[in-house]
Amino acid sequence: MPIECEGTPRDLGLDQGRACADALRMRFEDADGKPVSYGAMQGKPSIVRLDQKDPGTVVLEGGETLFFPALPAGPYRIGVHSPHYAPVEQDVDVVAGEKNEATVKLRAPAKLKVLFTAPERLVVRFRIRRDGRILPAFPVGATEAGTQATGLQPLIAHGSQGAVFTGLDAGPVTIDVTDPTLSAEAKTVDLREGETTEVEIEVRKR
């Protein structure tokens, strides 16, 4: 008989219709080794099976820990994006018949302040990229993962103080304008853990 999964399921976009299997519990702690509640992270989880097999229905429960009550045995990469920490990824091998556990170390997020200047008021849409990938980021003050930037975040140029985005990892990022009616040079800056890096970009109509 299939195992019944307890708790409220949240769909992670994976295929449906598979029975439950073995549990995985992920705990989080800060740089000082102090426990961090998963619920307080206000994060958005992702899960990928590394051997390309179909994991079927994936159920998770959030609380003090991130708990998967049932996963088919195999290798996984589990990630969490949060407005309060740098993004994390953890590779885990789920072993059949065992209570699998993993502890994830969290780091301070890098922040990026973006300011567009223009001779007139313009609505500017842009994206934050690294190695060709659009990076998810949270406007400072976001209270939940649903407010993540999607890569087409609008800002006002001319008279604006710009906006600060958090939940980013340290390293180089490129900011470029996506509106084909506007002319702006893409800029690359190096983000640092726990610090705010500022970038100013001049925008004009074509």
Side-chain angles (χ1 to χ4, degrees):
M1 295 179 62
I3 300 171
E4 294 294 331
C5 295
E6 298 180 354
T8 302
R10 287 195 282 170
D11 182 14
L12 292 185
L14 301 174
D15 292 341
Q16 304 293 303
R18 289 280 295 274
C20 300
D22 297 281
L24 169 64
R25 186 180 301 277
M26 299 189 72
R27 306 179 189 276
F28 299 88
E29 57 184 42
D30 62 19
D32 297 324
K34 296 179 181 178
V36 175
S37 165
Y38 172 74
M41 291 172 60
Q42 300 173 324
K44 180 178 177 61
S46 62
I47 181 168
V48 175
R49 179 136 178 166
L50 297 178
D51 60 5
Q52 308 303 315
K53 292 183 179 179
D54 174 18
T57 299
V58 175
V59 177
L60 69 85
E61 300 171 14
E64 288 302 305
T65 63
L66 177 57
F67 181 56
F68 298 88
L71 282 176
Y76 294 86
R77 176 167 295 153
I78 297 171
V80 178
H81 281 88
S82 162
H84 306 296
Y85 299 95
V88 292
E89 287 186 336
Q90 180 84 13
D91 290 353
V92 181
D93 284 317
V94 174
V95 180
E98 295 187 9
K99 291 183 178 180
N100 303 274
E101 296 190 351
T103 299
V104 181
K105 285 276 190 181
L106 299 172
R107 295 172 291 107
K111 297 179 182 180
L112 174 66
K113 181 176 181 179
V114 180
L115 173 64
F116 291 106
T117 60
E120 58 187 307
R121 182 180 173 88
L122 298 172
V123 176
V124 183
R125 294 186 178 276
F126 70 98
R127 57 191 176 187
I128 304 169
R129 295 185 295 110
R130 176 178 292 154
D131 298 329
R133 296 182 298 111
I134 297 174
L135 300 182
F138 299 84
V140 166
T143 57
E144 57 184 53
T147 58
Q148 274 184 239
T150 61
L152 293 176
Q153 180 69 32
L155 283 182
I156 302 296
H158 186 70
S160 169
Q161 298 300 310
V164 178
F165 297 88
T166 185
L168 294 161
D169 208 354
V173 297
T174 299
I175 302 91
D176 53 12
V177 172
T178 59
D179 190 333
T181 67
L182 300 178
S183 175
E185 181 182 356
K187 286 194 175 181
T188 299
V189 294
D190 195 22
L191 303 184
R192 291 184 171 88
E193 181 178 323
E195 298 182 12
T196 300
T197 302
E198 298 187 11
V199 61
E200 183 174 322
I201 300 175
E202 184 178 357
V203 182
R204 295 181 180 275
K205 286 185 177 179
R206 290 187 183 277

